[in-house]
Amino acid sequence: VISVPLSFFGGIGGASKIGLLVKGSNYLEAAGHTECVVMDKTGTLTKGVFKVEEVHTCGELSEDKLLRYAAYAEANSSHPISVSLREDFEEKSGEKVDKSQIGDVKEIAGHGVQAVIEGHTVLAGNAKLMKREQITYEEASAAGTVVHIAIDGKYEGYITIADQIKDDAAEAIRGLKARGIKTVMLTGDSRAGAESVGAKLGIDEIHAELLPENKVEEVEKLLASKSPKGKLMFVGDGINDAPVLARADVGAAMGGLGSDAAIEAADVVIMTDEPSKLLSLMDIARKTLGIAKQNVVFALAVKLIVLVLSAIGLVDMWAAVFADVGVSVIAILNAMRALKVE
């Protein structure tokens, strides 16, 4: 009774010291048995700090005008891509986005946004949005996130936005592989951008251009392919990741960049937004499981030995006291080792 709970309390306490909020001992145990880690790209493996790289027009609009429509369409969104569009527009034009000019905003999950701006219906989003609205668009080969723009049903061009890989992302992937854990990336971004990031980091499996429901489908396939005792962990940060975080055996969310929905749905929150903290989580979980097993085996073994010796009259009351109180104290001291995180 003392051995197992105290070990997990120690493990959860040790994790909290380094910015890992674990919402229950069952999730810490599951993390110790993880054999596949599935990750989102934007905001999880990348910094989520976007910069506009290219504004490409295909119609009569100038680059400045195209950027203006994109910034206005995305004005009500808190997504890092939307923020980067607004900031770039405001920096280049010297004017603030006037939200009174925007009406009938409609967010289309996994696709983009639709808004009425100065009487024009503007669509801003990925290639799937263009296909959904049956608009002929131009393919972009750039390795980044591409925002396609259509106005009143006519394709006007695209904007390429680049993100930076987090400093410790490569270390996280290497560490997971060294621990025998499979790595998978699921993202709604373009295939070119996803494969570029995946190749730099050495991720085992990459799935791009996914809608939120597609992510759930891919996770279901991975859950079906893992071993009976193995666990699957999903790491994400966006509101679109909430269903997958809830479906995975262990859901981990980024606490700084992460949306409220993702943090609420997650079982573990990485407060520092560092993917390398996953390695610490795995190590703490495995260490905690080891300590719990040590305590159980030690306690039962000592009690069994004292029970047998007392039955044949070789030990007295003091041995019984040690087998009870003494073993409890030793188990508590051993469990406290889980608090120490290197």
Side-chain angles (χ1 to χ4, degrees):
V1 172
I2 290 173
S3 301
V4 178
L6 279 182
S7 300
F8 281 99
F9 292 159
I12 291 171
S16 68
K17 288 181 179 179
I18 59 169
L20 288 167
L21 172 61
V22 184
K23 297 183 180 180
S25 56
N26 51 330
Y27 304 124
L28 189 64
E29 181 181 8
H33 294 297
T34 299
E35 64 181 27
C36 179
V37 172
V38 184
M39 289 165 283
D40 178 42
K41 180 176 78 70
T42 306
T44 301
L45 293 171
T46 61
K47 294 179 179 179
V49 179
F50 292 86
K51 296 291 181 184
V52 173
E53 295 287 313
E54 178 189 2
V55 180
H56 180 81
T57 62
C58 300
E60 299 176 356
L61 289 181
S62 65
E63 291 183 1
D64 291 342
K65 198 73 173 176
L66 187 70
L67 179 61
R68 183 176 186 273
Y69 275 116
Y72 270 69
E74 301 278 4
N76 293 312
S77 174
S78 60
H79 192 282
I81 291 175
S82 305
V83 173
S84 71
L85 285 168
R86 291 199 302 275
E87 288 178 347
D88 194 72
F89 163 72
E90 291 175 354
E91 182 182 337
K92 289 178 179 177
S93 66
E95 64 174 279
K96 293 286 185 182
V97 172
D98 182 6
K99 292 189 178 182
S100 65
Q101 302 293 322
I102 308 166
D104 297 330
V105 179
K106 180 184 177 184
E107 289 201 30
I108 306 165
H111 291 77
V113 66
Q114 175 181 307
V116 176
I117 301 166
E118 298 172 344
H120 297 286
T121 301
V122 179
L123 291 168
N126 54 28
K128 292 192 289 293
L129 179 61
M130 299 296 109
K131 292 175 183 175
R132 181 179 184 268
E133 300 297 324
Q134 298 181 338
I135 296 171
T136 302
Y137 65 96
E138 185 176 317
E139 292 282 357
S141 58
T145 299
V146 178
V147 179
H148 295 278
I149 314 295
I151 300 174
D152 295 328
K154 181 185 175 185
Y155 186 69
E156 294 291 348
Y158 63 81
I159 299 172
T160 304
I161 301 170
D163 193 5
Q164 293 179 314
I165 296 173
K166 288 184 179 179
D167 298 333
D168 63 333
E171 176 194 343
I173 301 300
R174 283 195 304 270
L176 290 171
K177 287 187 172 184
R179 288 161 176 78
I181 297 170
K182 179 182 178 182
T183 56
V184 181
M185 180 201 291
L186 302 182
T187 179
D189 288 349
S190 66
R191 185 163 298 281
E195 289 179 351
S196 173
V197 171
K200 289 175 183 176
L201 297 178
I203 294 172
D204 298 322
E205 199 174 309
I206 300 166
H207 300 275
E209 300 177 358
L210 300 175
L211 297 174
E213 57 266 30
N214 299 141
K215 288 185 178 183
V216 175
E217 290 169 7
E218 292 296 336
V219 166
E220 291 286 0
K221 292 176 186 176
L222 291 165
L223 284 167
S225 65
K226 66 181 178 63
S227 67
K229 290 185 178 180
K231 301 296 181 183
L232 180 142
M233 178 184 292
F234 181 84
V235 189
D237 72 303
I239 190 169
N240 290 338
D241 295 326
V244 204
L245 286 164
R247 180 63 189 91
D249 295 317
V250 185
M254 296 294 161
L257 288 171
S259 67
D260 291 343
I263 292 169
E264 182 69 26
D267 308 312
V268 178
V269 182
I270 303 172
M271 304 306 296
T272 59
D273 286 344
E274 297 172 274
S276 60
K277 282 288 194 289
L278 290 171
L279 307 180
S280 300
L281 176 63
M282 305 292 181
D283 293 342
I284 290 169
R286 292 177 180 182
K287 179 182 177 182
T288 300
L289 287 170
I291 290 172
K293 289 175 182 176
Q294 289 169 13
N295 280 349
V296 170
V297 171
F298 172 72
L300 292 178
V302 171
K303 288 178 182 295
L304 180 61
I305 291 169
V306 171
L307 181 65
V308 172
L309 293 177
S310 63
I312 58 178
L314 294 180
V315 295
D316 55 16
M317 181 61 73
W318 287 109
V321 171
F322 171 76
D324 184 31
V325 180
V327 167
S328 296
V329 172
I330 292 171
I332 290 168
L333 293 173
N334 192 37
M336 288 174 66
R337 288 173 49 228
L339 282 165
K340 186 178 180 182
V341 179
E342 295 178 359

